[in-house]
Amino acid sequence: MTDELAVLGIECWAHHGVFPDERREGQRFVVDLVLGLDTRPAAESDDLHDTVDYGSLTMAVKAAVESDPVDLVETVVQRIADVVLLEHRVEWVRVTLHKPDAPIPTTFTDVALTIERKRGPR
């Protein structure tokens, strides 16, 4: 059994995309994380060392999104999952990457990709 810890709405500014304007000007990306972990050790000890420091993890995710521009959101969202799974207490992660300002020539609300990854081999 695992518990779920969510960190939603992590705002980032990055230069990902296939079009020159996206690379040059950048745009907003928003990340939602849901982490699967056992929170019982932290509940028993009341010690941050027995759980995921979601503040530090959030900053690592933000840094991963804002570094090294790539073409596809698929690449960025996998990068995020890889960073989260470096935390040994996380058993699995569900990552949603929102690209609300994607260059689509019509009215839309959001573009979002969600993946789920587990610890261990792909």
Side-chain angles (χ1 to χ4, degrees), residues 84-101:
V84 172
L85 290 173
L86 290 173
E87 168 55 59
H88 73 277
R89 288 177 181 83
V90 175
E91 298 172 23
W92 57 266
V93 62
R94 185 177 313 115
V95 180
T96 300
L97 179 66
H98 302 268
K99 188 175 178 180
D101 303 316

Side-chain angles (χ1 to χ4, degrees), residues 13 26 28 36 46 48-49 52-53 55 80 83 88 97 104 108 122:
W13 188 266
R28 183 170 55 113
D46 196 33
L48 180 61
H49 292 97
V52 173
D53 179 347
I80 295 165
V83 165
H88 73 277
L97 179 66
I104 300 173
F108 70 100
R122 290 184 184 178

